Amino acid sequence: MSINFQREAPCPIAQLLELLGDRWSLLIIRDAFYGVRRFDGFQQHLGISKKVLTMRLTTLVDAEIMKKERYQSKPERYEYRLTAKGRELFPVLLTMMRWGNRWLVDEGEETVQLLHSNCGEKTEPRMVCSHCEQPITPARIQAVPGPGANREVVQAFRQIVRKSEVKKES
Amino acid sequence: MSINFQREAPCPIAQLLELLGDRWSLLIIRDAFYGVRRFDGFQQHLGISKKVLTMRLTTLVDAEIMKKERYQSKPERYEYRLTAKGRELFPVLLTMMRWGNRWLVDEGEETVQLLHSNCGEKTEPRMVCSHCEQPITPARIQAVPGPGANREVVQAFRQIVRKSEVKKES
DNA sequence: AGTGGTTGGTTTCTTTTAGAGACCTGATAG
DNA sequence: CTATCAGGTCTCTAAAAGAAACCAACCACT
């Protein structure tokens, strides 16, 4: 029902959230970036229940965000590692970290910071255009229907645009 | 219980997810970026139940991510707009959109694309260092304890680092 | 004066998820 | 022969989400 912009719809953000939009998945991936690899490690660092951890890891493996690899065979034991698809979630976590540090943590009270080994300095990631390399801001970015947009999506876009214009006038 | 890295802990990503890590909050914010402002608009575009929408909007207003503004007074009616704090979630949504388009949508089937009005071209946001302006990749970024890190956090970092080194050897 | 539509909700009931904790398995260690 | 570790499963309870009915203030029509 409703215009085709919701969760099971083709919006890439909605699709990502469909997969990872619970309270644990992105924390598991964060820990994986920190180097955690084993069931027990995730469980202890996160304080997540085993049942939910099993479910989340299964989902992540099925989605090919993580892969399960045997690291010993006498008793078979596996570890979970990020795939390329998983590693590319790095920018998502970085922008989240930046926003959290900026708005949820008092200044000077940050518990985590980022060091860029290129320049050796503390860094705050910035977004730039892949084309002109200029900064990206909401005002200078426009979302437009892509090649896979069907009539419904275009329609939804029009409606949203029209509505937001109406609001501006009043 | 467990090392201090979980949800109620000082990790900025965990704090963000504590606030926004459900299946709806970020979609509401996405719609707000698209220009949706009214209860009904969110409800129809998202297909979310009114109860949950009420709860989420309340949370977002309490967190000062959105603000409720009266737009007419005969029958009092309000609309919900992003605050500066909310608008700064833009990079988070952009990186999510990029990942979703890249990994969850078939190439050429993207329903949404971004146009950078600076250069007028289709763009894929990239992350660069605020310092040296060079690209940021997992391999070139290191998370280090910040000024607000207490002994526990530093300890947790050490443990994680040690564990991931052990893994590399085996 | 009554009917229906619009906006922005609340209430109730049912289904889904999450969480705590007991239990299981296969292996090695003492 | 018992203990411990890694990596789970199973069961039960509590919390959250979803569907749908209802409510209320105002307007516009008839």
Side-chain angles (χ1 to χ4, degrees), chain A residues 10-169:
Chain A
C11 169
I13 297 173
Q15 286 186 254
L16 182 151
L17 289 171
E18 187 75 3
L19 193 59
L20 306 172
D22 65 291
R23 287 194 291 300
W24 293 114
S25 298
L26 284 166
L27 289 179
I28 293 170
I29 293 166
R30 173 204 68 178
D31 270 12
F33 275 113
Y34 277 137
V36 178
R37 304 228 166 97
R38 295 191 187 169
F39 192 90
D40 226 48
F42 291 111
Q43 215 235 309
Q44 283 178 39
H45 280 103
L46 294 169
I48 184 178
S49 82
K50 289 172 158 195
K51 188 186 68 173
V52 178
L53 179 56
T54 303
M55 294 192 311
R56 290 295 164 269
L57 287 173
T58 305
T59 306
L60 292 172
V61 170
D62 287 351
E64 299 189 283
I65 288 169
M66 302 191 86
K67 56 179 182 264
K68 197 174 179 176
E69 280 183 358
R70 199 172 58 225
Y71 68 88
Q72 68 173 43
S73 43
K74 296 62 155 338
E76 300 222 330
R77 287 295 131 81
Y78 296 90
E79 54 185 24
Y80 296 87
R81 288 158 170 271
L82 292 168
T83 61
K85 184 174 176 181
R87 281 192 302 272
E88 290 209 20
L89 283 165
F90 196 59
V92 175
L93 290 175
L94 280 192
T95 51
M96 284 186 167
M97 182 184 282
R98 170 147 167 64
W99 190 87
N101 265 338
R102 177 94 195 262
W103 293 98
L104 302 177
V105 176
D106 292 336
E107 218 179 322
E109 294 296 315
E110 296 89 354
T111 54
V112 195
Q113 286 184 329
L114 299 174
L115 218 61
H116 191 219
S117 34
N118 258 50
C119 61
E121 299 285 337
K122 294 217 176 72
T123 183
E124 289 180 350
R126 291 213 195 301
M127 309 214 66
V128 298
C129 173
S130 56
H131 224 264
C132 64
E133 311 212 320
Q134 292 306 101
I136 281 180
T137 61
R140 269 142 193 286
I141 282 281
Q142 210 190 337
V144 296
N150 55 22
R151 215 168 38 241
E152 277 176 289
V153 173
V154 175
Q155 197 56 30
F157 259 98
R158 284 225 190 87
Q159 257 190 271
I160 291 173
V161 169
R162 190 173 52 68
K163 279 188 187 172
S164 60
E165 278 162 3
V166 168
K167 291 307 102 39
K168 270 172 205 161
E169 287 161 25

Side-chain angles (χ1 to χ4, degrees), chain B residues 44-108:
Chain B
Q44 282 178 39
H45 280 102
L46 294 169
I48 184 178
S49 84
K50 289 173 158 195
K51 188 186 69 173
V52 178
L53 179 57
T54 304
M55 294 193 310
R56 289 294 163 272
L57 286 172
T58 306
T59 307
L60 291 172
V61 169
D62 288 351
E64 298 189 284
I65 288 169
M66 303 192 85
K67 56 178 183 265
K68 197 174 179 177
E69 280 183 358
R70 199 173 58 225
Y71 68 89
Q72 68 173 43
S73 42
K74 298 65 161 329
E76 300 222 330
R77 288 294 132 82
Y78 297 89
E79 54 185 24
Y80 297 87
R81 287 159 170 272
L82 291 168
T83 61
K85 184 174 176 181
R87 282 191 302 273
E88 290 209 19
L89 283 165
F90 196 59
V92 175
L93 290 175
L94 280 193
T95 51
M96 284 186 167
M97 182 184 283
R98 170 149 166 63
W99 190 87
N101 265 339
R102 177 94 195 263
W103 293 98
L104 302 178
V105 176
D106 292 334
E107 218 179 322

